[in-house]
Amino acid sequence: MVADITAAPPAAEPLPAPVTGDRPKRRPAAWVAMYHSVSNCPEDPYDITVTPGRLERQFAWMAARGLRGVSVRELLDARALGLERGLVGLTFDDGYSDFVTTALPVLHRWGFTATVFVLPGLLDGENSWEQSGPRKALLDADGIRFAADAGMEIASHGLTHIDLTKAHDDELHAEVAESRYRLTHLTGEDVEGFCYPYGHLDERAVDAVRRAGYRYGCAITPGPAGSGDFALPRIHIGEADSSIRLELKRRLAWVYGRALESV
């Protein structure tokens, strides 16, 4: 699977102009953005799809404000050195095949990286967990390796996208530990990150992720007290998020507890 990383961005509304003047000494605190699918599919009942043109403009908005999109792994490495300000964690849930064909070229144009949360139990499958809406293809093994070779972080979204808070013990172990084993074998690299399907988590799920050897877990809202890096909150980004909405979400990150706290 090969992506055209030289394709020009689609014609649309003008990209934001770079911010002029001296760059502020203290740039905004880091936060983590949550994406899913990137395509021109018009049917989007769950608000999980961003068009390529909108993604281009969102990344332009970040760059114009001195922000750089990075994988969660890179973001946590920077935070450990006290260098996380001005970074935005970029995550893409579910491992849709359009990540390689559509999102990756845009990431490359802006010099950004991202974390892709994939489902090794549904390789080359589709989003069968959705009760309605369009069927979308998921990455196969070659697509996952391609993304990894392109500098993206590959992380786990479980095996089959089930609600971990409702899983029995064997299911929980397979979804968390077995998925990490399979991805490590597939990519030949250590898998550090996990993303809770549907954003549902409890202390039992968090403990399973920690015990499986992950470095961090991504949620949506802040998790149980004491979860720390095993329940990193994120900000949902959708097609409707223009420059004004992005600025508002960035400013509200601290209010809603979705900015990455230094430790």
Side-chain angles (χ1 to χ4, degrees):
M1 183 181 296
V2 179
D4 179 8
I5 64 173
T6 62
E13 64 188 67
L15 298 177
V19 174
T20 58
D22 294 335
R23 180 171 294 176
K25 294 181 179 179
R26 288 177 61 83
R27 291 185 288 175
W31 46 281
V32 183
M34 178 178 66
Y35 288 95
H36 288 78
S37 172
V38 181
S39 77
N40 287 308
C41 179
E43 188 179 356
D44 188 24
Y46 301 106
D47 191 25
I48 63 166
T49 305
V50 173
T51 60
R54 176 63 74 186
L55 185 68
E56 192 86 46
R57 293 188 290 278
Q58 289 169 347
F59 285 0
W61 176 88
M62 295 177 191
R65 282 149 185 80
L67 302 173
R68 182 166 63 90
V70 297
S71 68
V72 178
R73 177 177 58 198
E74 292 176 72
L75 183 58
L76 294 181
D77 286 345
R79 187 191 63 180
L81 298 173
L83 301 174
E84 75 276 15
R85 287 188 176 274
L87 299 181
V88 177
L90 299 179
T91 63
F92 290 79
D93 290 12
D94 302 336
Y96 292 105
S97 61
D98 58 40
F99 176 80
V100 165
T101 59
T102 311
L104 187 57
V106 184
L107 286 159
H108 277 178
R109 277 196 289 275
W110 290 99
F112 291 176
T113 60
T115 298
V116 192
F117 291 112
V118 302
L119 297 153
L122 295 176
L123 295 178
D124 202 22
E126 62 180 17
N127 54 334
S128 56
W129 61 89
E130 302 286 12
Q131 296 183 355
S132 62
R135 298 297 92 186
K136 293 193 173 188
L138 304 178
L139 288 168
D140 58 14
D142 287 341
I144 290 174
R145 293 190 191 98
F146 186 91
D149 290 343
M152 305 299 126
E153 178 188 12
I154 303 300
S156 174
H157 202 25
L159 281 177
T160 58
H161 205 288
I162 67 170
D163 184 345
L164 298 184
T165 65
K166 299 178 180 178
H168 57 66
D169 290 346
D170 289 343
E171 285 180 318
L172 182 60
H173 177 77
E175 292 288 330
V176 175
E178 178 66 18
S179 66
R180 183 171 187 258
Y181 171 80
R182 291 193 194 185
L183 287 176
T184 299
H185 180 73
L186 191 157
T187 64
E189 299 179 354
D190 188 29
V191 175
E192 299 184 17
F194 186 88
C195 176
Y196 303 93
Y198 307 104
H200 296 173
L201 68 156
D202 54 18
E203 291 183 1
R204 179 168 162 265
V206 170
D207 185 59
V209 171
R210 184 183 289 110
R211 288 176 177 270
Y214 292 96
R215 177 186 182 187
Y216 69 87
C218 274
I220 299 176
T221 57
S227 297
D229 286 355
F230 288 94
L232 294 174
R234 297 178 293 166
I235 298 175
H236 169 75
I237 305 296
E239 178 65 15
D241 287 319
S242 61
S243 296
I244 294 175
R245 286 171 59 99
L246 286 173
E247 180 63 28
L248 180 62
K249 286 188 174 184
R250 179 178 69 83
R251 294 189 181 199
L252 290 177
W254 279 110
V255 176
Y256 290 118
R258 289 176 171 83
L260 188 68
E261 296 183 10
S262 298
V263 295

